[in-house]
Amino acid sequence: MKISTKGRYALRVLIDLAEQQNDNFIPLKEIAARQEISEKYLENILKVLVHNNVLTGMRGKGGGYRLTKSAEELSVGSILRLTEGDLAPVTCLEHEAALCSRAENCRTLPMWKNLNVLVNRFFDNITLADLMEGLE
Amino acid sequence: MKISTKGRYALRVLIDLAEQQNDNFIPLKEIAARQEISEKYLENILKVLVHNNVLTGMRGKGGGYRLTKSAEELSVGSILRLTEGDLAPVTCLEHEAALCSRAENCRTLPMWKNLNVLVNRFFDNITLADLMEGLE
DNA sequence: AATAAACATATTTATCCGCTATGTTAGTGG
DNA sequence: CCACTAACATAGCGGATAAATATGTTTATT
């Protein structure tokens, strides 16, 4: 029942980017240093975010990363689903899950489904901007 | 973000026990067969439940397992915390977590804490009996 | 041309999950 | 009392996944 470092790092990096934001590109090196995360590991994580148009990457000298949207438009849920792959609390509910033979009269499946909805809704209702200003 | 087989199997076994319940002991062999779970693996899982007084185990011929409480008195939360060890959504919030140096001005920690409360509350408000009668 | 930085792919390392194996202890029935 | 049953206990294994490294390529700036 854990969110991996991928998702957690991704959120931290995006917040970092949003805080530094002045419409020019910020090199990964800087972010990695500030956040104390391995550069190479971060590259892997950000790749997914670039491919899914959360970030744009600019190569070469003066290059770096930049948010494509404002922090208000980015939900935590959308980011975590990208980096974690899935937020389903049980394998039975994963996107490409082989349907279980017991599913029809499984006494626990409805509960997992309810939790799945609850968790996704929770994350969908939080934006990067919310995190930045500090929620309670 | 997954509940492991330990927790899922534990719930299924407990429901199974509650359904068969007639105050005598039910051997693990029977349950394992009905639920199509490896006997030896189940032994491992039930051990924790016995130690924590959810079940009582009786050895020897005619032995087996029996619930110590009624299905109405057993919350899903209490069972999952035993089998999963912890329901915390991030390592930072685990029971014996080394406190992170970033914790004080971590922009995401409050969110993880809120989710942690939400998830625990969700499971605490469901009893075995609820699962048996089928919730929506 | 030299340099900076993103992009790409493969490999390593470590940890954990799911399960198996082997053996011991404690009851019951014949 | 002995055979049998079934819970209890501990150790270990194989595969998958997580976390991180390593190496190299491409693209842009100066």
Side-chain angles (χ1 to χ4, degrees):
Chain A
M1 198 63 183
K2 293 281 181 298
I3 300 285
S4 75
T5 53
K6 275 189 186 169
R8 278 157 38 217
Y9 287 178
L11 288 177
R12 278 168 54 187
V13 168
L14 292 178
I15 292 170
D16 187 292
L17 272 172
E19 279 171 346
Q20 314 296 322
Q21 203 71 342
N22 37 8
D23 262 21
N24 48 13
F25 293 95
I26 298 174
L28 180 139
K29 205 171 186 174
E30 273 187 32
I31 310 171
R34 252 197 306 273
Q35 298 293 329
E36 297 172 287
I37 301 173
S38 145
E39 296 179 31
K40 281 295 168 191
Y41 188 40
L42 264 195
E43 281 187 352
N44 271 312
I45 296 173
L46 297 198
K47 192 191 328 181
V48 188
L49 298 177
V50 170
H51 280 132
N52 288 276
N53 269 307
V54 174
L55 294 176
T56 45
M58 182 64 174
R59 301 205 220 191
K61 211 168 204 172
Y65 293 96
R66 185 168 62 184
L67 293 177
T68 56
K69 301 174 191 173
S70 72
E72 286 79 15
E73 293 170 295
L74 275 173
S75 78
V76 171
S78 67
I79 294 159
L80 289 182
R81 274 187 294 271
L82 286 177
T83 52
E84 298 291 304
D86 208 316
L87 290 174
V90 288
T91 43
C92 327
L93 290 178
E94 277 174 350
H95 214 64
E96 60 234 13
L99 71 108
C100 171
S101 63
R102 300 180 156 273
E104 288 206 2
N105 43 6
C106 179
R107 312 275 74 185
T108 51
L109 191 55
M111 174 177 69
W112 304 130
K113 282 185 177 170
N114 285 346
L115 179 61
N116 196 25
V117 170
L118 189 72
V119 169
N120 277 280
R121 224 171 245 166
F122 174 81
F123 284 130
D124 283 338
N125 282 327
I126 306 175
T127 68
L128 264 198
D130 292 332
L131 291 183
M132 291 169 68
E133 68 193 32
L135 40 75
E136 293 315 303
Chain B
M1 198 64 183
K2 294 279 181 298
I3 299 284
S4 74
T5 53
K6 276 187 188 170
R8 278 155 39 219
Y9 287 179
L11 288 176
R12 277 168 55 188
V13 168
L14 292 178
I15 292 170
D16 186 292
L17 272 173
E19 280 172 345
Q20 314 296 321
Q21 204 68 342
N22 35 9
D23 263 19
N24 48 13
F25 293 96
I26 298 174
L28 180 140
K29 205 171 186 175
E30 272 187 32
I31 310 171
R34 251 197 307 273
Q35 298 293 331
E36 295 172 287
I37 302 174
S38 146
E39 295 179 33
K40 280 295 167 190
Y41 189 38
L42 263 195
E43 280 187 355
N44 270 311
I45 297 173
L46 297 198
K47 192 194 322 185
V48 190
L49 299 177
V50 170
H51 280 134
N52 287 275
N53 269 307
V54 174
L55 294 176
T56 45
M58 183 64 175
R59 304 205 217 192
K61 207 166 205 170
Y65 293 96
R66 184 168 62 182
L67 293 177
T68 56
K69 301 173 191 173
S70 72
E72 285 79 15
E73 294 169 295
L74 276 173
S75 79
V76 172
S78 67
I79 295 158
L80 289 183
R81 275 187 294 272
L82 287 177
T83 51
E84 298 291 304
D86 209 317
L87 290 174
V90 287
T91 43
C92 328
L93 290 179
E94 277 174 350
H95 214 64
E96 60 234 17
L99 70 109
C100 172
S101 64
R102 301 181 155 273
E104 288 205 1
N105 44 5
C106 178
R107 311 276 73 182
T108 50
L109 191 55
M111 173 177 70
W112 304 132
K113 282 184 178 171
N114 285 346
L115 179 61
N116 196 23
V117 170
L118 190 72
V119 169
N120 277 279
R121 223 172 248 164
F122 173 82
F123 284 130
D124 283 338
N125 282 326
I126 305 174
T127 68
L128 263 198
D130 292 333
L131 291 182
M132 291 169 69
E133 69 193 29
L135 40 74
E136 289 317 303

